[in-house]
Amino acid sequence: EQLPGTLEAIREWFRTYKIPDGKPPNKFGLDEKFMDKLYALDVIKECNHAWKELITGEKERKISGMDEGVQKLVRKLSKSNLLSLAFEDEGDAPPTF
């Protein structure tokens, strides 16, 4: 170990940084174990795959037999709607190109 206590200090910061704003401490999954590089890379790969399916419309094609609520959510997050979704809370119109 090159910097003893560093990982624990970082986790503790992520656990408590919102408390001054009146929010509860964050909780961590995986029994609060630190995972290795391979685990992190697998999570990144999985997220990237899901993102690609959303922006290419592949996800919409795969969910035709699913619940209507799920289909609506996927359509809302699909490529054609991502730009308008980004401005939904701000009340601004998306830029035109």
Side-chain angles (χ1 to χ4, degrees):
E1 216 177 286
Q2 300 210 0
L3 299 169
T6 301
L7 290 176
E8 289 82 4
I10 291 170
R11 180 176 46 205
E12 192 59 24
W13 184 86
F14 276 109
R15 180 189 321 279
T16 61
Y17 79 100
K18 294 189 289 183
I19 292 174
D21 293 334
K23 297 178 181 176
N26 287 320
K27 295 180 182 178
F28 299 95
L30 305 170
D31 295 324
E32 296 203 5
K33 294 178 194 167
F34 293 109
M35 305 310 285
D36 61 11
K37 180 180 176 177
L38 181 61
Y39 181 87
L41 291 174
D42 283 344
V43 170
I44 292 167
K45 185 177 178 180
E46 180 181 333
C47 291
N48 182 257
H49 177 73
W51 174 79
K52 283 181 181 177
E53 283 189 332
L54 278 175
I55 67 161
T56 62
E58 183 66 27
K59 192 65 169 180
E60 283 189 70
R61 291 187 286 279
K62 288 182 176 180
I63 63 162
S64 59
M66 291 188 139
D67 177 77
E68 188 176 330
V70 171
Q71 290 182 25
K72 284 181 181 180
L73 178 61
V74 171
R75 277 190 221 102
K76 184 175 182 179
L77 296 174
S78 69
K79 180 181 179 181
S80 61
N81 294 316
L82 286 176
L83 189 57
S84 62
L85 184 62
F87 292 93
E88 195 173 83
D89 293 334
E90 298 173 21
D92 298 329
T96 55
F97 299 100

Coordinates of all heavy atoms in Angstrom, one line a residue:
E1 N 0.9 -1.2 0.0 CA 0.0 0.0 0.0 C 0.9 1.2 0.0 O 1.8 1.4 0.8 CB -0.9 0.0 1.3 CG -2.2 0.5 1.0 CD -3.1 0.4 2.2 OE1 -3.6 -0.7 2.5 OE2 -3.3 1.5 2.8
Q2 N 0.6 2.1 -0.9 CA 1.5 3.3 -1.1 C 1.0 4.5 -0.2 O 1.8 5.2 0.3 CB 1.6 3.7 -2.5 CG 2.1 2.6 -3.3 CD 2.9 3.1 -4.5 OE1 3.0 4.2 -4.8 NE2 3.5 2.1 -5.3
L3 N -0.3 4.6 -0.1 CA -0.8 5.8 0.7 C -1.8 5.2 1.7 O -3.1 5.3 1.5 CB -1.5 6.8 -0.2 CG -0.6 7.4 -1.2 CD1 -1.4 8.2 -2.3 CD2 0.5 8.3 -0.6
P4 N -1.4 4.7 2.8 CA -2.3 4.1 3.8 C -3.4 5.0 4.2 O -3.2 6.2 4.5 CB -1.4 3.7 5.0 CG 0.0 3.8 4.5 CD 0.0 4.7 3.3
G5 N -4.6 4.5 4.2 CA -5.8 5.2 4.7 C -6.4 6.1 3.7 O -7.5 6.7 3.9
T6 N -5.9 6.2 2.5 CA -6.4 7.1 1.5 C -7.8 6.7 1.0 O -8.7 7.5 0.9 CB -5.4 7.3 0.3 OG1 -4.2 7.7 0.7 CG2 -6.0 8.2 -0.8
L7 N -7.9 5.4 0.7 CA -9.2 4.9 0.2 C -10.3 5.1 1.3 O -11.4 5.6 0.9 CB -9.2 3.5 -0.2 CG -8.3 3.2 -1.5 CD1 -8.3 1.7 -1.7 CD2 -8.9 3.9 -2.7
E8 N -10.0 4.8 2.5 CA -11.0 5.0 3.6 C -11.4 6.5 3.7 O -12.5 6.8 3.9 CB -10.4 4.5 4.9 CG -10.3 3.0 5.0 CD -9.1 2.4 4.3 OE1 -8.2 3.2 3.8 OE2 -9.0 1.2 4.2
A9 N -10.4 7.4 3.6 CA -10.7 8.8 3.7 C -11.6 9.3 2.6 O -12.5 10.1 2.8 CB -9.4 9.6 3.7
I10 N -11.3 8.8 1.4 CA -12.1 9.2 0.2 C -13.6 8.7 0.4 O -14.5 9.4 0.2 CB -11.5 8.7 -1.1 CG1 -10.2 9.4 -1.4 CG2 -12.5 8.8 -2.2 CD1 -9.4 8.8 -2.5
R11 N -13.7 7.4 0.8 CA -15.0 6.9 1.1 C -15.8 7.7 2.1 O -16.9 8.0 2.0 CB -15.0 5.4 1.5 CG -16.4 4.9 1.7 CD -16.4 3.4 2.0 NE -15.4 3.0 3.0 CZ -14.9 1.8 3.1 NH1 -15.3 0.9 2.3 NH2 -14.1 1.5 4.0
E12 N -15.1 8.1 3.2 CA -15.7 8.8 4.3 C -16.1 10.2 3.8 O -17.2 10.7 4.1 CB -14.7 8.9 5.5 CG -15.4 9.5 6.7 CD -16.6 8.6 7.2 OE1 -16.6 7.4 6.9 OE2 -17.5 9.1 7.9
W13 N -15.3 10.8 2.9 CA -15.7 12.1 2.3 C -17.0 12.0 1.5 O -17.9 12.7 1.7 CB -14.6 12.7 1.5 CG -15.0 14.0 1.0 CD1 -14.8 15.2 1.6 CD2 -15.6 14.4 -0.3 NE1 -15.2 16.3 0.8 CE2 -15.8 15.7 -0.3 CE3 -16.1 13.6 -1.3 CZ2 -16.4 16.4 -1.4 CZ3 -16.7 14.2 -2.4 CH2 -16.8 15.6 -2.4
F14 N -17.1 10.9 0.7 CA -18.3 10.7 -0.1 C -19.5 10.4 0.8 O -20.6 10.7 0.4 CB -18.1 9.6 -1.2 CG -17.5 10.1 -2.4 CD1 -16.1 9.8 -2.7 CD2 -18.2 10.9 -3.3 CE1 -15.6 10.3 -3.9 CE2 -17.6 11.4 -4.5 CZ -16.3 11.1 -4.8
R15 N -19.2 9.8 1.9 CA -20.3 9.4 2.8 C -20.9 10.7 3.5 O -22.1 10.8 3.7 CB -19.8 8.5 3.9 CG -20.9 8.1 4.9 CD -20.4 7.3 6.1 NE -19.3 6.4 5.9 CZ -19.5 5.2 5.4 NH1 -20.7 4.7 5.1 NH2 -18.5 4.4 5.2
T16 N -20.1 11.7 3.8 CA -20.5 12.8 4.6 C -20.6 14.1 4.0 O -21.1 15.1 4.6 CB -19.5 12.9 5.8 OG1 -18.2 13.2 5.3 CG2 -19.5 11.6 6.7
Y17 N -20.2 14.3 2.7 CA -20.1 15.6 2.1 C -21.4 16.4 2.0 O -21.4 17.6 2.0 CB -19.3 15.6 0.8 CG -20.1 15.2 -0.4 CD1 -20.7 16.1 -1.3 CD2 -20.4 13.8 -0.7 CE1 -21.4 15.7 -2.4 CE2 -21.1 13.4 -1.8 CZ -21.6 14.4 -2.6 OH -22.3 14.0 -3.7
K18 N -22.5 15.7 2.0 CA -23.8 16.4 1.8 C -24.5 16.7 3.2 O -25.5 17.4 3.2 CB -24.8 15.6 1.0 CG -24.3 15.4 -0.4 CD -25.4 14.8 -1.3 CE -25.5 13.4 -1.1 NZ -26.5 12.7 -2.0
I19 N -23.9 16.2 4.3 CA -24.5 16.4 5.6 C -24.7 17.9 6.0 O -25.7 18.2 6.5 CB -23.8 15.6 6.7 CG1 -23.9 14.1 6.4 CG2 -24.2 16.0 8.1 CD1 -23.1 13.2 7.3
P20 N -23.7 18.7 5.7 CA -23.9 20.2 6.0 C -25.1 20.8 5.3 O -25.7 21.8 5.8 CB -22.6 20.8 5.5 CG -21.6 19.7 5.6 CD -22.4 18.5 5.2
D21 N -25.6 20.2 4.2 CA -26.8 20.7 3.5 C -28.1 20.1 4.1 O -29.1 20.3 3.5 CB -26.7 20.4 2.0 CG -25.6 21.1 1.3 OD1 -25.2 22.2 1.8 OD2 -25.1 20.6 0.3
G22 N -27.9 19.4 5.2 CA -29.1 18.8 5.8 C -29.5 17.5 5.2 O -30.6 17.0 5.5
K23 N -28.7 16.9 4.4 CA -29.1 15.6 3.8 C -28.4 14.5 4.6 O -27.5 14.7 5.3 CB -28.5 15.5 2.3 CG -29.2 16.6 1.5 CD -28.7 16.6 0.0 CE -29.3 17.7 -0.8 NZ -28.8 17.8 -2.1
P24 N -29.0 13.3 4.5 CA -28.5 12.1 5.2 C -27.1 11.6 4.6 O -26.8 11.9 3.5 CB -29.5 11.1 5.1 CG -30.2 11.4 3.8 CD -30.2 12.9 3.7
P25 N -26.4 10.9 5.4 CA -25.1 10.4 4.9 C -25.4 9.4 3.7 O -26.4 8.7 3.7 CB -24.5 9.6 6.0 CG -25.3 9.9 7.2 CD -26.6 10.5 6.8
N26 N -24.5 9.3 2.7 CA -24.6 8.4 1.6 C -24.4 7.0 2.2 O -23.6 6.8 3.1 CB -23.6 8.7 0.5 CG -24.0 9.9 -0.2 OD1 -25.2 10.1 -0.5 ND2 -23.0 10.7 -0.6
K27 N -25.0 6.0 1.5 CA -24.7 4.6 1.9 C -24.1 3.9 0.7 O -24.3 4.3 -0.5 CB -26.1 3.9 2.2 CG -26.7 4.5 3.4 CD -28.0 3.7 3.7 CE -28.7 4.4 4.9 NZ -30.0 3.7 5.2
F28 N -23.3 2.9 0.9 CA -22.6 2.3 -0.2 C -23.0 0.8 -0.2 O -23.2 0.2 0.8 CB -21.0 2.4 0.1 CG -20.6 3.8 0.1 CD1 -20.4 4.5 1.3 CD2 -20.3 4.4 -1.1 CE1 -20.0 5.8 1.3 CE2 -19.8 5.7 -1.1 CZ -19.7 6.4 0.1
G29 N -23.0 0.3 -1.4 CA -23.3 -1.1 -1.6 C -22.1 -2.0 -1.6 O -21.0 -1.5 -1.1
L30 N -22.3 -3.2 -2.0 CA -21.1 -4.2 -2.0 C -20.5 -4.4 -0.6 O -19.3 -4.6 -0.5 CB -20.1 -3.8 -3.0 CG -20.6 -3.5 -4.4 CD1 -19.6 -2.9 -5.3 CD2 -21.1 -4.8 -5.0
D31 N -21.3 -4.2 0.4 CA -20.8 -4.4 1.8 C -19.6 -3.4 2.1 O -18.7 -3.8 2.9 CB -20.4 -5.8 2.1 CG -21.6 -6.8 2.1 OD1 -22.7 -6.4 2.5 OD2 -21.4 -7.9 1.6
E32 N -19.6 -2.3 1.4 CA -18.6 -1.3 1.6 C -17.2 -1.8 1.3 O -16.2 -1.3 1.8 CB -18.7 -0.6 2.9 CG -20.0 0.1 3.1 CD -19.9 1.2 4.2 OE1 -18.8 1.5 4.7 OE2 -20.9 1.8 4.4
K33 N -17.1 -2.8 0.4 CA -15.8 -3.3 0.0 C -15.3 -2.5 -1.1 O -16.0 -2.0 -2.0 CB -15.9 -4.8 -0.5 CG -16.3 -5.8 0.6 CD -16.5 -7.2 0.0 CE -17.2 -8.1 0.9 NZ -17.6 -9.3 0.2
F34 N -14.0 -2.3 -1.2 CA -13.3 -1.7 -2.3 C -13.2 -2.7 -3.4 O -12.7 -3.8 -3.2 CB -12.0 -1.1 -1.9 CG -12.0 0.0 -0.9 CD1 -11.6 -0.2 0.4 CD2 -12.5 1.2 -1.3 CE1 -11.7 0.8 1.3 CE2 -12.6 2.3 -0.4 CZ -12.2 2.1 0.9
M35 N -13.6 -2.4 -4.6 CA -13.5 -3.3 -5.7 C -12.2 -3.0 -6.5 O -11.7 -1.9 -6.5 CB -14.7 -3.2 -6.6 CG -16.0 -3.4 -5.8 SD -16.1 -4.8 -4.7 CE -16.3 -6.1 -5.9
D36 N -11.8 -4.0 -7.3 CA -10.6 -3.8 -8.0 C -10.8 -3.2 -9.4 O -11.9 -2.9 -9.8 CB -9.9 -5.2 -8.2 CG -10.7 -6.2 -9.0 OD1 -11.7 -5.8 -9.5 OD2 -10.3 -7.4 -9.0
K37 N -9.7 -3.0 -10.1 CA -9.8 -2.3 -11.4 C -10.6 -3.1 -12.4 O -11.4 -2.5 -13.2 CB -8.3 -2.2 -12.0 CG -8.2 -1.5 -13.3 CD -6.8 -1.5 -13.7 CE -6.6 -0.9 -15.1 NZ -5.2 -0.8 -15.5
L38 N -10.5 -4.4 -12.4 CA -11.3 -5.2 -13.4 C -12.8 -5.0 -13.1 O -13.6 -4.9 -14.1 CB -11.0 -6.7 -13.2 CG -11.7 -7.7 -14.1 CD1 -11.4 -7.3 -15.6 CD2 -11.3 -9.1 -13.8
Y39 N -13.2 -5.0 -11.9 CA -14.6 -4.7 -11.6 C -15.1 -3.4 -12.1 O -16.1 -3.2 -12.7 CB -14.9 -4.8 -10.0 CG -16.3 -4.6 -9.7 CD1 -17.2 -5.7 -9.6 CD2 -16.8 -3.4 -9.3 CE1 -18.5 -5.5 -9.3 CE2 -18.1 -3.2 -9.0 CZ -19.0 -4.2 -9.0 OH -20.3 -4.0 -8.6
A40 N -14.3 -2.3 -11.8 CA -14.6 -1.0 -12.3 C -14.7 -0.9 -13.8 O -15.6 -0.3 -14.4 CB -13.6 0.0 -11.8
L41 N -13.8 -1.6 -14.5 CA -13.8 -1.6 -16.0 C -15.0 -2.3 -16.5 O -15.6 -1.9 -17.5 CB -12.5 -2.2 -16.5 CG -11.3 -1.3 -16.3 CD1 -10.0 -2.1 -16.8 CD2 -11.4 0.0 -17.0
D42 N -15.5 -3.4 -15.8 CA -16.7 -4.1 -16.2 C -17.9 -3.2 -16.1 O -18.8 -3.2 -16.9 CB -16.9 -5.4 -15.4 CG -16.0 -6.5 -15.9 OD1 -15.4 -6.4 -17.0 OD2 -15.8 -7.5 -15.1
V43 N -18.0 -2.4 -15.0 CA -19.1 -1.5 -14.8 C -19.1 -0.4 -15.9 O -20.2 -0.1 -16.5 CB -19.0 -0.8 -13.4 CG1 -20.0 0.3 -13.3 CG2 -19.3 -1.9 -12.3
I44 N -17.9 0.1 -16.2 CA -17.8 1.1 -17.3 C -18.3 0.6 -18.6 O -19.0 1.2 -19.4 CB -16.4 1.7 -17.4 CG1 -16.1 2.5 -16.1 CG2 -16.2 2.5 -18.6 CD1 -14.6 2.8 -15.9
K45 N -17.8 -0.7 -18.9 CA -18.2 -1.3 -20.2 C -19.7 -1.5 -20.2 O -20.4 -1.3 -21.3 CB -17.5 -2.7 -20.3 CG -17.7 -3.4 -21.6 CD -16.9 -4.7 -21.6 CE -17.1 -5.4 -22.9 NZ -16.3 -6.7 -22.9
E46 N -20.3 -2.0 -19.2 CA -21.8 -2.2 -19.1 C -22.6 -0.9 -19.3 O -23.5 -0.9 -20.1 CB -22.1 -2.8 -17.8 CG -23.6 -3.1 -17.6 CD -23.9 -3.7 -16.2 OE1 -23.0 -4.3 -15.6 OE2 -25.1 -3.5 -15.8
C47 N -22.1 0.2 -18.7 CA -22.8 1.5 -18.8 C -22.6 2.0 -20.2 O -23.6 2.5 -20.8 CB -22.2 2.5 -17.8 SG -22.7 2.1 -16.1
N48 N -21.5 1.8 -20.8 CA -21.2 2.3 -22.2 C -22.1 1.5 -23.2 O -22.7 2.1 -24.1 CB -19.8 2.1 -22.6 CG -19.5 2.6 -23.9 OD1 -19.3 1.8 -24.9 ND2 -19.4 3.9 -24.1
H49 N -22.3 0.2 -23.0 CA -23.1 -0.6 -23.8 C -24.6 -0.1 -23.7 O -25.3 0.1 -24.7 CB -23.0 -2.0 -23.4 CG -23.9 -2.9 -24.2 ND1 -23.7 -3.3 -25.5 CD2 -25.1 -3.6 -23.8 CE1 -24.7 -4.0 -25.9 NE2 -25.5 -4.3 -24.9
A50 N -25.1 0.2 -22.5 CA -26.4 0.6 -22.3 C -26.6 2.0 -23.0 O -27.7 2.2 -23.6 CB -26.8 0.7 -20.8
W51 N -25.7 2.9 -22.8 CA -25.7 4.2 -23.4 C -25.8 4.1 -25.0 O -26.6 4.8 -25.6 CB -24.5 5.0 -23.0 CG -24.4 6.4 -23.7 CD1 -25.1 7.5 -23.4 CD2 -23.6 6.7 -24.8 NE1 -24.8 8.5 -24.2 CE2 -23.8 8.1 -25.1 CE3 -22.7 6.0 -25.5 CZ2 -23.2 8.7 -26.1 CZ3 -22.0 6.7 -26.5 CH2 -22.2 8.0 -26.8
K52 N -25.0 3.2 -25.5 CA -25.0 3.1 -27.0 C -26.3 2.6 -27.5 O -26.9 3.0 -28.5 CB -23.9 2.1 -27.4 CG -22.5 2.7 -27.5 CD -21.5 1.7 -27.9 CE -20.1 2.4 -27.9 NZ -19.1 1.4 -28.3
E53 N -26.9 1.6 -26.7 CA -28.3 1.1 -27.1 C -29.3 2.2 -27.1 O -30.2 2.2 -27.9 CB -28.7 0.0 -26.2 CG -28.0 -1.4 -26.5 CD -28.6 -2.5 -25.7 OE1 -29.2 -2.3 -24.6 OE2 -28.6 -3.6 -26.2
L54 N -29.2 3.1 -26.1 CA -30.2 4.2 -26.0 C -30.0 5.2 -27.2 O -31.0 5.5 -27.9 CB -30.0 5.0 -24.7 CG -30.7 4.4 -23.5 CD1 -30.3 5.2 -22.3 CD2 -32.2 4.4 -23.7
I55 N -28.8 5.6 -27.5 CA -28.6 6.6 -28.5 C -28.8 6.1 -29.9 O -29.1 6.9 -30.8 CB -27.3 7.4 -28.3 CG1 -26.1 6.5 -28.6 CG2 -27.2 8.1 -27.0 CD1 -24.9 7.3 -28.9
T56 N -28.6 4.8 -30.1 CA -28.8 4.3 -31.5 C -30.2 3.8 -31.7 O -30.6 3.5 -32.9 CB -27.8 3.1 -31.7 OG1 -28.2 2.1 -30.8 CG2 -26.4 3.5 -31.6
G57 N -31.1 3.8 -30.7 CA -32.4 3.3 -30.9 C -32.5 1.8 -30.8 O -33.6 1.3 -30.8
E58 N -31.4 1.1 -30.6 CA -31.4 -0.3 -30.4 C -32.3 -0.8 -29.2 O -33.0 -1.8 -29.3 CB -30.0 -0.9 -30.3 CG -29.9 -2.4 -30.2 CD -30.4 -3.1 -31.5 OE1 -30.2 -2.5 -32.6 OE2 -30.8 -4.2 -31.4
K59 N -32.3 0.0 -28.2 CA -33.0 -0.4 -27.0 C -34.5 -0.3 -27.3 O -35.3 -1.2 -26.8 CB -32.7 0.6 -25.8 CG -33.2 0.1 -24.5 CD -32.5 -1.2 -24.1 CE -32.8 -1.5 -22.7 NZ -32.1 -2.8 -22.3
E60 N -35.0 0.6 -28.0 CA -36.4 0.7 -28.4 C -36.8 -0.5 -29.2 O -37.9 -1.0 -29.0 CB -36.6 2.0 -29.2 CG -36.7 3.3 -28.4 CD -37.2 4.5 -29.2 OE1 -38.3 4.5 -29.5 OE2 -36.3 5.3 -29.4
R61 N -36.0 -1.0 -30.0 CA -36.3 -2.1 -30.8 C -36.4 -3.4 -30.0 O -37.2 -4.3 -30.3 CB -35.4 -2.3 -32.0 CG -35.5 -1.2 -33.1 CD -34.6 -1.5 -34.3 NE -33.2 -1.3 -34.0 CZ -32.6 -0.1 -34.1 NH1 -33.3 1.0 -34.3 NH2 -31.3 0.0 -33.9
K62 N -35.6 -3.5 -28.9 CA -35.6 -4.6 -28.1 C -36.7 -4.7 -27.1 O -37.0 -5.8 -26.5 CB -34.3 -4.7 -27.3 CG -33.1 -5.0 -28.1 CD -31.8 -5.1 -27.3 CE -30.6 -5.5 -28.0 NZ -29.4 -5.6 -27.2
I63 N -37.4 -3.6 -26.8 CA -38.4 -3.6 -25.7 C -39.9 -3.7 -26.2 O -40.8 -3.4 -25.5 CB -38.2 -2.4 -24.8 CG1 -38.5 -1.1 -25.6 CG2 -36.9 -2.4 -24.2 CD1 -38.7 0.1 -24.8
S64 N -40.1 -4.0 -27.4 CA -41.4 -4.0 -28.0 C -42.4 -4.8 -27.2 O -43.6 -4.5 -27.1 CB -41.4 -4.4 -29.5 OG -40.9 -5.8 -29.6
G65 N -42.0 -5.9 -26.5 CA -42.9 -6.7 -25.8 C -43.0 -6.3 -24.3 O -43.7 -7.0 -23.5
M66 N -42.4 -5.3 -23.9 CA -42.3 -4.9 -22.4 C -43.5 -4.0 -22.0 O -44.2 -3.5 -22.9 CB -41.0 -4.2 -22.1 CG -39.8 -5.1 -22.2 SD -38.4 -4.2 -21.5 CE -37.6 -5.5 -20.6
D67 N -43.6 -3.8 -20.8 CA -44.6 -2.9 -20.2 C -44.6 -1.5 -20.8 O -43.6 -1.0 -21.2 CB -44.3 -2.8 -18.7 CG -45.3 -1.9 -18.0 OD1 -46.4 -2.3 -17.7 OD2 -44.9 -0.8 -17.7
E68 N -45.8 -1.0 -21.0 CA -45.9 0.3 -21.7 C -45.1 1.4 -20.9 O -44.5 2.3 -21.6 CB -47.4 0.8 -21.8 CG -47.6 2.0 -22.6 CD -49.0 2.3 -22.8 OE1 -49.9 1.4 -22.8 OE2 -49.3 3.5 -22.9
G69 N -45.1 1.4 -19.6 CA -44.3 2.4 -18.8 C -42.9 2.3 -19.1 O -42.2 3.4 -19.2
V70 N -42.3 1.1 -19.3 CA -40.9 0.9 -19.6 C -40.7 1.5 -21.0 O -39.7 2.2 -21.2 CB -40.5 -0.5 -19.5 CG1 -39.1 -0.8 -20.1 CG2 -40.6 -1.0 -18.1
Q71 N -41.6 1.2 -21.9 CA -41.4 1.7 -23.3 C -41.4 3.2 -23.4 O -40.6 3.8 -24.0 CB -42.5 1.1 -24.2 CG -42.4 -0.4 -24.4 CD -43.5 -0.9 -25.4 OE1 -44.0 -0.1 -26.2 NE2 -43.8 -2.2 -25.2
K72 N -42.3 3.8 -22.6 CA -42.3 5.3 -22.6 C -41.0 5.9 -22.0 O -40.5 6.9 -22.6 CB -43.5 5.8 -21.7 CG -44.8 5.7 -22.4 CD -45.9 6.2 -21.5 CE -47.3 6.1 -22.2 NZ -48.4 6.6 -21.4
L73 N -40.5 5.3 -21.0 CA -39.2 5.8 -20.4 C -38.1 5.6 -21.4 O -37.3 6.6 -21.5 CB -38.9 5.0 -19.1 CG -37.6 5.4 -18.4 CD1 -37.6 6.9 -18.0 CD2 -37.4 4.5 -17.2
V74 N -38.0 4.5 -22.0 CA -36.9 4.3 -23.0 C -37.0 5.3 -24.2 O -36.1 5.9 -24.6 CB -36.9 2.9 -23.5 CG1 -35.9 2.7 -24.7 CG2 -36.5 1.9 -22.4
R75 N -38.3 5.5 -24.6 CA -38.5 6.5 -25.7 C -38.0 7.9 -25.2 O -37.5 8.7 -26.0 CB -39.9 6.5 -26.2 CG -40.2 5.4 -27.2 CD -41.6 5.6 -27.8 NE -42.1 4.3 -27.9 CZ -43.1 3.8 -27.1 NH1 -43.6 4.5 -26.1 NH2 -43.5 2.6 -27.3
K76 N -38.3 8.2 -24.0 CA -38.0 9.5 -23.4 C -36.5 9.7 -23.4 O -36.0 10.8 -23.6 CB -38.6 9.7 -22.0 CG -38.4 11.1 -21.4 CD -39.1 11.2 -20.1 CE -38.9 12.5 -19.5 NZ -39.5 12.7 -18.2
L77 N -35.8 8.6 -23.2 CA -34.3 8.7 -23.1 C -33.6 8.4 -24.4 O -32.4 8.5 -24.4 CB -33.8 7.7 -22.0 CG -34.3 8.0 -20.6 CD1 -33.8 6.8 -19.7 CD2 -33.8 9.3 -20.1
S78 N -34.3 8.2 -25.4 CA -33.7 7.8 -26.7 C -33.0 9.0 -27.3 O -33.2 10.1 -27.0 CB -34.7 7.2 -27.7 OG -35.6 8.2 -28.1
K79 N -32.2 8.7 -28.3 CA -31.4 9.7 -29.0 C -32.2 10.9 -29.5 O -31.8 12.0 -29.3 CB -30.8 9.0 -30.2 CG -29.9 10.0 -31.0 CD -29.3 9.2 -32.2 CE -28.4 10.2 -33.0 NZ -27.9 9.5 -34.2
S80 N -33.4 10.7 -30.0 CA -34.2 11.8 -30.6 C -34.7 12.7 -29.5 O -35.0 13.9 -29.8 CB -35.3 11.3 -31.4 OG -36.2 10.5 -30.6
N81 N -34.7 12.3 -28.3 CA -35.3 13.1 -27.2 C -34.2 13.6 -26.2 O -34.6 14.3 -25.3 CB -36.3 12.3 -26.4 CG -37.5 12.0 -27.3 OD1 -38.0 12.9 -28.0 ND2 -38.0 10.8 -27.3
L82 N -33.0 13.2 -26.3 CA -32.0 13.6 -25.3 C -31.8 15.1 -25.2 O -31.7 15.6 -24.1 CB -30.6 12.9 -25.6 CG -30.6 11.4 -25.2 CD1 -29.3 10.8 -25.7 CD2 -30.9 11.1 -23.8
L83 N -31.7 15.8 -26.3 CA -31.5 17.2 -26.3 C -32.6 17.9 -25.6 O -32.4 18.8 -24.7 CB -31.3 17.7 -27.7 CG -30.8 19.2 -27.8 CD1 -29.5 19.4 -27.0 CD2 -30.7 19.6 -29.2
S84 N -33.9 17.6 -25.9 CA -35.0 18.3 -25.3 C -35.1 17.9 -23.8 O -35.5 18.8 -23.0 CB -36.3 17.9 -26.0 OG -36.6 16.6 -25.9
L85 N -34.7 16.7 -23.4 CA -34.7 16.3 -22.0 C -33.8 17.1 -21.2 O -34.0 17.5 -20.1 CB -34.4 14.8 -21.9 CG -34.4 14.2 -20.5 CD1 -35.9 14.3 -20.0 CD2 -34.0 12.8 -20.6
A86 N -32.6 17.5 -21.8 CA -31.6 18.3 -21.1 C -32.2 19.7 -20.7 O -31.7 20.3 -19.7 CB -30.4 18.5 -22.0
F87 N -33.1 20.2 -21.5 CA -33.7 21.5 -21.2 C -35.0 21.5 -20.5 O -35.6 22.6 -20.3 CB -33.7 22.3 -22.5 CG -32.4 22.7 -23.1 CD1 -31.8 21.8 -24.0 CD2 -31.7 23.8 -22.7 CE1 -30.5 22.1 -24.5 CE2 -30.5 24.1 -23.2 CZ -29.9 23.2 -24.1
E88 N -35.5 20.3 -20.2 CA -36.8 20.2 -19.6 C -37.0 21.0 -18.4 O -38.0 21.7 -18.2 CB -37.1 18.7 -19.4 CG -38.6 18.4 -19.1 CD -38.8 16.9 -19.1 OE1 -38.6 16.3 -18.0 OE2 -39.1 16.3 -20.1
D89 N -36.0 20.9 -17.4 CA -36.2 21.6 -16.2 C -35.9 23.1 -16.3 O -36.4 23.9 -15.5 CB -35.2 21.0 -15.1 CG -35.6 19.6 -14.8 OD1 -36.8 19.3 -14.9 OD2 -34.7 18.8 -14.4
E90 N -35.1 23.5 -17.2 CA -34.7 24.9 -17.3 C -35.8 25.8 -18.0 O -35.7 27.0 -18.0 CB -33.4 25.0 -18.1 CG -32.3 24.3 -17.4 CD -31.0 24.3 -18.2 OE1 -30.9 25.1 -19.1 OE2 -30.1 23.4 -17.9
G91 N -36.7 25.2 -18.8 CA -37.7 25.9 -19.5 C -37.1 26.6 -20.7 O -37.9 27.4 -21.4
D92 N -35.9 26.3 -21.1 CA -35.3 26.9 -22.3 C -35.5 26.0 -23.4 O -35.6 24.8 -23.3 CB -33.8 27.1 -22.1 CG -33.4 28.0 -21.0 OD1 -34.2 29.0 -20.8 OD2 -32.4 27.9 -20.4
A93 N -35.6 26.6 -24.6 CA -35.8 25.8 -25.8 C -34.3 25.2 -26.2 O -33.4 25.9 -25.9 CB -36.3 26.6 -26.9
P94 N -34.3 24.1 -26.7 CA -32.9 23.5 -27.1 C -32.4 24.4 -28.3 O -33.2 24.9 -29.0 CB -33.2 22.1 -27.5 CG -34.7 22.0 -27.8 CD -35.3 23.1 -26.9
P95 N -31.1 24.5 -28.4 CA -30.5 25.3 -29.5 C -30.8 24.6 -30.8 O -30.9 23.4 -30.9 CB -29.0 25.3 -29.2 CG -28.8 24.1 -28.3 CD -30.1 23.9 -27.5
T96 N -30.9 25.4 -31.8 CA -31.1 24.9 -33.2 C -29.7 25.0 -33.9 O -29.0 25.9 -33.7 CB -32.1 25.6 -34.0 OG1 -31.8 27.0 -34.0 CG2 -33.5 25.4 -33.3
F97 N -29.4 24.0 -34.7 CA -28.2 24.0 -35.4 C -28.4 24.0 -36.9 O -29.3 23.6 -37.4 CB -27.4 22.7 -35.0 CG -27.1 22.6 -33.6 CD1 -27.8 21.8 -32.7 CD2 -26.0 23.3 -33.0 CE1 -27.5 21.7 -31.4 CE2 -25.7 23.2 -31.7 CZ -26.5 22.5 -30.9

